[in-house]
Amino acid sequence: MGNPTEKLSGRISAVVYENPENGYVVMRVKSGIREVTAVGIVPMAAPGEKVELTGNWTRHSAYGEQFHIDSALREMPSGAEDILEFLSSHTIPGIGEKTAALLVEAFGDETLDVLERSPEKLLQVKGITSRKAGEISSSFRRRTAMRRLIELLCDNGINASCAPYVYSIWGDEAVASLKEDPYMLLQEGLSTDFELVDAMAMRLGINPQSDVRIRGAVRYVMLRNLGNGHVFLPAEKLAGAVMSITECEAEDAMSAIWELESDGEVVSQTVSNVTAVYLSDYFYAEDFVANRLFEMASTPLSKTRRPFISPVVDDIEYSELQSEAIRSAAENRVMLLTGGPGTGKTTTVRGILAAFEIQNLRTALVAPTGKAANRLGSVCGREASTLHRLLEAGGGENGKMGFGRNADEPLDIDAIILDEMSMVDIKLMSALLEAMPPDCRLVMVGDPDQLSSVGAGRVLSDILRSGVVKTIRLTEIFRQAQQSLIVMNAHRVNSGKLPETGGKEDDYFFMTRDTDKRVAETVVELLSKRLPENMGIPREDIQVISPARKGEAGVIELNRALQAALNPPSKDKPELQVLDKTFRLGDRVMQIKNNYDITWKQGLHSGSGVFNGDTGRIVAIGTGGIAVTVEFDDKTAYYSEDMVIDMDLAYAMTVHKSQGSEFPAVVMVTNRVHPILMTRGVLYTGMTRAKNLLVAVGSGECIAAMTANDKQEKRYSGLYSRLKKLSAGDIAEQ
């Protein structure tokens, strides 16, 4: 935030707001003769506690001066007066103001010691039964254990926001467990850095060559590579990475892998002649997807329905392939429909839906993102939902994502049409298949030439290559689509040919800019003036996309420049500063991490959960006790200040983040970026985000290099191999 770090010592006098999920608080602190507001991560803060806070002063547009907490040292109340204030604040279930007064009167300065170590003495207090004494003592011990856990984490530079999650796993033994094996912090959902945990382990005296350290390194490497899209890692590569960060011997690394397998944390299996090591959740997800898809593809429909009748939708005459796709969807339990832009996927989907309705099938239309679901619903003339909403996603066991719809509570539908299949990862695919009733049909729709899912796996590609599922690939570009240079250039790029430069009447333009600075300046000019004023395109219809986040023409800097140009500061626009981000009323924003606790409303409906990639606009800041209110495509969501940390500006977004969305107008940055992003798939995916207008800004050499580079992203996935084995009648090697 740019302000110098300061310290603030005092006593908590009141907790104004607390998020019990992550420990974020807004509290009043009595420091000397003044009382101030402090905000930050202090789980289970309570009046009467003594604190020493490190952080800096900020000014909130609605709430005034605040001390923003970076770290906190805490002491439980020690004197009778502070203990009374602590217990009177209802922080311990079963203790209110009257009971607190009786306890302090009976035990004075030793009250907290009695609660923790001698609950039987509580029976001396009038009104406290043996059962109530046990409940009070248990609640107090939980708070004490949490406080000690937080101190351990903070002392070792680890963000205390993970403390509630850690406690949910190991309970009162969390501190003892972590002192014995701090590498247990390397869990999916914690996002803990190996170097921090390793440093903590060294301070605790863990031997650098110990088994717990090497096992922790295995977990860390596996989790890090999930983020790179890998469902498994070859055992040799995994061991090599572990050796690199621990400097252990190959034998020790392999031994750690097999120990974790014995404990059930990982599973190894031969995949395509490679010893593949999976985190257990991902192994079972991939295995289930393969078996369920094969079973659906190889088993005829059992329900008796009306015979297939070719549907009529808006007097459309279907091509031979489109008609075959509609018939295949009506006669198979599972089908895959693919094709590039302009090949009639949307028209075919409408025909499939009409055929299902003729057969009286209750059909759900779904897509991975809100924008994709809205587009699908719009073209089909009926409601569509996101996969997460269909499956009733929410926080599950130990803070991991869970679904209300599953094998025990299956969906009450007959068919699902799933669009933007390229975005679906292996865990989400497993969850969907698990929630489908036995005879439910599934139509998957997607473009295999787009980028792979953000999550682990290459589900669409593996299914397509396996040949197990009935597949119709639309190839004919229809006459109307041939009039679009966006469509034709996308197909040219996909076949390795350079896009054609458009003229005044075309929907594709290329603007040469030789430097990143000039690219950024042109992008801002296009959105602030040229496109709205010269072409009459509303600013809200224009989306900027770039291959990279960093750099002068990357998403981060473009968002800052576009915010300054399109939504500058004003006394009429409240704003919120969160770390190095400034959010202002009217800003276009994106959620960058799943959060199951953000509440939302949609008409008369309400719920919770905003998901990675959801985009919207800030419609209120600092009103009604809500830090930020965001209007998304399908809901209005309400954020507390701590939740805003997982939000980004979205005037510009990466090509990866834009996947699944379509915008009336797109300005695409085509400058030189990291080689890993200079691929045909990135260029093709970016081009196909534009519906009516695409303006490419950058280097012709860059476009040529991306077009020529057909290198596919390498991902370790066993779905293809499993499907092929099943179709050949083989049994997977164990």
Side-chain angles (χ1 to χ4, degrees):
M1 287 175 286
N3 297 330
T5 299
E6 298 186 34
K7 290 189 180 295
L8 176 69
S9 299
R11 179 178 57 82
I12 300 174
S13 57
V15 177
V16 179
Y17 167 82
E18 178 182 16
N19 183 332
E21 296 296 325
N22 60 14
Y24 179 90
V25 296
V26 178
M27 61 187 185
R28 300 291 291 171
V29 176
K30 187 71 179 298
S31 179
I33 61 172
R34 63 174 181 160
E35 190 175 60
V36 301
T37 298
V39 300
I41 303 295
V42 187
M44 304 180 74
E49 287 187 315
K50 296 177 181 178
V51 291
E52 182 177 300
L53 309 175
T54 301
N56 47 52
W57 293 98
T58 63
R59 178 162 292 278
H60 191 285
S61 59
Y63 305 125
E65 189 177 53
Q66 298 178 337
F67 189 83
H68 196 285
I69 303 165
D70 292 330
S71 64
L73 295 176
R74 305 158 65 186
E75 290 183 18
M76 292 293 282
S78 54
E81 184 178 342
D82 288 348
I83 292 173
L84 177 61
E85 184 177 16
F86 171 75
L87 295 177
S88 297
S89 63
H90 300 274
T91 55
I92 309 297
I95 300 180
E97 294 180 13
K98 291 183 179 179
T99 303
L102 291 172
L103 289 171
V104 174
E105 182 180 353
F107 306 114
D109 294 353
E110 297 181 0
T111 301
L112 300 185
D113 189 64
V114 169
L115 290 175
E116 182 174 7
R117 297 182 177 86
S118 307
E120 69 281 357
K121 292 183 179 180
L122 298 178
L123 298 176
Q124 302 172 19
V125 179
K126 183 179 179 181
I128 295 183
T129 63
S130 178
R131 178 179 177 181
K132 187 175 181 179
E135 291 174 349
I136 290 174
S137 181
S138 177
S139 296
F140 181 76
R141 285 198 302 273
R142 180 184 188 280
R143 173 173 288 277
T144 302
M146 277 290 292
R147 181 176 62 83
R148 290 170 179 161
L149 172 60
I150 291 165
E151 289 173 351
L152 175 65
L153 295 173
C154 289
D155 287 348
N156 288 280
I158 296 173
N159 196 321
S161 61
C162 69
Y165 183 97
V166 173
Y167 187 87
S168 72
I169 300 174
W170 294 290
D172 291 346
E173 301 302 315
V175 169
S177 298
L178 290 183
K179 284 184 176 180
E180 183 177 340
D181 182 2
Y183 298 97
M184 291 166 68
L185 285 169
L186 298 167
Q187 299 278 333
E188 188 174 9
L190 286 181
S191 301
T192 317
D193 184 75
F194 181 81
E195 290 186 4
L196 284 175
V197 175
D198 204 33
M200 172 179 170
M202 297 304 103
R203 282 190 286 269
L204 290 170
I206 303 293
N207 188 321
Q209 297 303 316
S210 67
D211 291 344
V212 296
R213 182 172 185 250
I214 301 172
R215 285 198 301 266
V218 174
R219 286 193 208 101
Y220 173 73
V221 172
M222 294 290 293
L223 291 170
R224 184 179 62 185
N225 278 279
L226 287 177
N228 295 328
H230 301 302
V231 185
F232 71 81
L233 287 178
E236 289 186 2
K237 286 186 176 292
L238 174 57
V242 170
M243 291 163 61
S244 176
I245 62 176
T246 63
E247 299 182 348
C248 71
E249 298 297 328
E251 182 181 350
D252 295 328
M254 294 301 296
S255 177
I257 295 169
W258 308 140
E259 285 176 17
L260 287 173
E261 183 168 32
S262 297
D263 292 341
E265 288 192 51
V266 305
V267 176
S268 69
Q269 191 175 77
T270 301
V271 175
S272 299
N273 300 317
V274 170
T275 301
V277 182
Y278 294 79
L279 289 171
S280 57
D281 286 356
Y282 286 82
F283 170 81
Y284 293 117
E286 186 179 87
D287 190 60
F288 176 76
V289 169
N291 282 282
R292 182 69 193 273
L293 283 177
F294 178 75
E295 180 265 333
M296 292 177 69
S298 57
T299 307
L301 289 166
S302 60
K303 285 189 176 181
T304 301
R305 295 282 181 181
R306 295 175 61 182
F308 171 71
I309 301 174
S310 183
V312 178
V313 181
D314 297 335
D315 297 323
I316 291 173
E317 291 187 15
Y318 300 108
S319 70
E320 184 177 341
L321 276 176
Q322 286 178 312
S323 296
E324 184 184 350
I326 295 169
R327 177 178 290 277
S328 295
E331 296 178 347
N332 290 277
R333 294 178 65 193
V334 60
M335 192 201 83
L336 175 59
L337 175 67
T338 74
T343 57
K345 290 198 303 294
T346 297
T347 300
T348 307
V349 166
R350 291 171 62 196
I352 292 171
L353 177 60
F356 283 173
E357 289 174 343
I358 290 172
Q359 293 186 305
N360 296 322
L361 297 175
R362 296 166 299 169
T363 305
L365 300 176
V366 293
T369 66
K371 283 190 179 296
N374 285 345
R375 188 175 71 252
L376 177 63
S378 176
V379 299
C380 290
R382 53 170 291 182
E383 184 179 359
S385 74
T386 63
L387 266 171
H388 286 90
R389 184 166 301 174
L390 176 76
L391 299 175
E392 299 177 10
E397 184 180 358
N398 292 338
K400 293 185 178 181
M401 179 170 62
F403 296 101
R405 294 293 183 171
N406 47 48
D408 297 325
E409 295 289 339
L411 296 161
D412 187 21
I413 51 177
D414 302 311
I416 294 172
I417 298 176
L418 170 58
D419 199 9
E420 296 291 350
M421 184 64 196
S422 63
M423 300 183 67
V424 179
D425 62 45
I426 193 66
K427 290 290 286 288
L428 195 53
M429 190 67 191
S430 175
L432 174 64
L433 291 173
E434 182 185 348
M436 287 170 49
D439 274 319
C440 186
R441 306 185 197 186
L442 175 63
V443 176
M444 299 172 286
V445 184
D447 184 346
D449 295 314
Q450 290 188 25
L451 296 171
S452 298
S453 59
V454 174
R458 51 184 188 197
V459 178
L460 174 58
S461 173
D462 284 354
I463 294 172
L464 180 62
R465 291 190 305 122
S466 74
V468 167
V469 171
K470 174 68 176 179
T471 300
I472 304 295
R473 182 158 193 164
L474 303 176
T475 56
E476 178 186 352
I477 304 175
F478 286 90
R479 184 177 301 172
Q480 184 177 355
Q482 291 177 9
Q483 309 306 310
S484 167
L485 201 55
I486 295 174
V487 171
M488 300 309 295
N489 275 340
H491 283 279
R492 287 181 64 84
V493 165
N494 206 31
S495 62
K497 299 176 182 177
L498 289 176
E500 295 179 355
T501 302
K504 290 184 178 180
E505 303 303 318
D506 290 312
D507 56 4
Y508 170 83
F509 301 95
F510 173 63
M511 303 177 70
T512 301
R513 297 294 184 269
D514 295 332
T515 67
D516 287 356
K517 181 179 181 181
R518 288 288 293 125
V519 168
E521 290 172 348
T522 301
V523 168
V524 172
E525 183 184 4
L526 283 167
L527 267 76
S528 60
K529 294 183 179 180
R530 295 177 67 167
L531 294 181
E533 294 177 5
N534 298 343
M535 300 186 69
I537 302 174
R539 291 190 180 99
E540 57 269 22
D541 286 350
I542 310 169
Q543 180 62 52
V544 176
I545 59 177
S546 173
R549 278 184 56 80
K550 297 180 180 179
E552 201 167 0
V555 165
I556 296 173
E557 292 302 324
L558 283 174
N559 268 319
R560 288 174 179 156
L562 289 166
Q563 182 192 46
L566 304 180
N567 192 28
S570 164
K571 63 179 181 180
D572 300 323
K573 295 178 186 175
E575 58 185 47
L576 177 67
Q577 182 83 22
V578 178
L579 300 179
D580 60 343
K581 304 174 185 177
T582 299
F583 296 101
R584 194 169 294 133
L585 181 66
D587 276 338
R588 191 184 300 181
V589 293
M590 171 186 285
Q591 181 74 15
I592 58 173
K593 183 179 179 182
N594 291 345
N595 188 315
Y596 313 106
D597 301 315
I598 300 172
T599 59
W600 53 261
K601 289 184 179 179
Q602 181 189 36
L604 298 176
H605 302 288
S606 61
S608 64
V610 178
F611 303 104
N612 185 7
D614 287 354
T615 57
R617 188 173 298 277
I618 295 177
V619 294
I621 289 181
T623 60
I626 304 298
V628 175
T629 303
V630 179
E631 192 173 273
F632 291 98
D633 293 321
D634 56 347
K635 56 185 174 281
T636 300
Y638 307 95
Y639 288 69
S640 57
E641 189 169 334
D642 60 298
M643 295 171 174
V644 181
I645 195 169
D646 292 324
M647 183 190 290
D648 269 349
L649 293 173
Y651 297 98
M653 64 178 68
T654 63
V655 174
H656 283 81
K657 287 290 188 182
S658 73
Q659 201 169 349
S661 299
E662 185 179 65
F663 309 95
V666 167
V667 175
M668 182 176 180
V669 173
T670 55
N671 63 326
R672 182 69 61 174
V673 292
H674 192 283
I676 200 171
L677 298 171
M678 296 283 291
T679 68
R680 186 183 300 174
V682 171
L683 180 59
Y684 173 79
T685 301
M687 295 177 73
T688 52
R689 299 310 91 205
K691 182 179 181 180
N692 302 321
L693 177 68
L694 173 62
V695 182
V697 183
S699 161
E701 292 180 359
C702 175
I703 290 179
M706 296 176 82
T707 302
N709 182 10
D710 194 27
K711 185 177 180 180
Q712 301 294 313
E713 179 187 27
K714 183 177 178 63
R715 290 189 172 196
Y716 291 112
S717 165
L719 181 59
Y720 166 78
S721 176
R722 293 178 193 283
L723 288 170
K724 292 296 286 184
K725 281 180 178 290
L726 289 166
S727 65
D730 294 339
I731 299 175
E733 299 175 54
Q734 299 297 323

